[in-house]
Amino acid sequence: MPTNKTPFTFHLDDVTLLKIKHIAKNETRSTSNLIEHLCRIHVIEYEEKNGEISVVNEE
């Protein structure tokens, strides 16, 4: 199934990655989906404290 999501690579230490995989499994999510979900939550919390972030989509 095609997606409009941009691939993004980053680095985690082994212990943190194992813990994220554990949480994802317990929540019946993929690791990628959990990380995406956590990022979305953080952006929402950040914007609640600091105001909406204005972004321009340059395609």
Side-chain angles (χ1 to χ4, degrees):
M1 176 187 313
T3 180
N4 64 348
K5 298 177 183 179
T6 304
F8 184 81
T9 303
F10 64 99
H11 303 274
L12 290 173
D13 62 87
D14 292 340
V15 172
T16 301
L17 180 57
L18 288 170
K19 289 180 180 187
I20 288 173
K21 287 181 176 187
H22 175 86
I23 294 167
K25 184 177 180 182
N26 283 347
E27 294 188 2
T28 319
R29 295 178 180 266
S30 68
T31 302
S32 177
N33 180 266
L34 175 61
I35 293 169
E36 181 182 355
H37 175 70
L38 294 172
C39 288
R40 219 180 267 123
I41 288 172
H42 184 69
V43 168
I44 289 167
E45 290 173 352
Y46 181 93
E47 288 184 326
E48 286 174 352
K49 289 172 70 176
N50 300 288
E52 185 175 351
I53 300 168
S54 177
V55 296
V56 176
N57 188 359
E58 298 178 10
E59 290 188 29

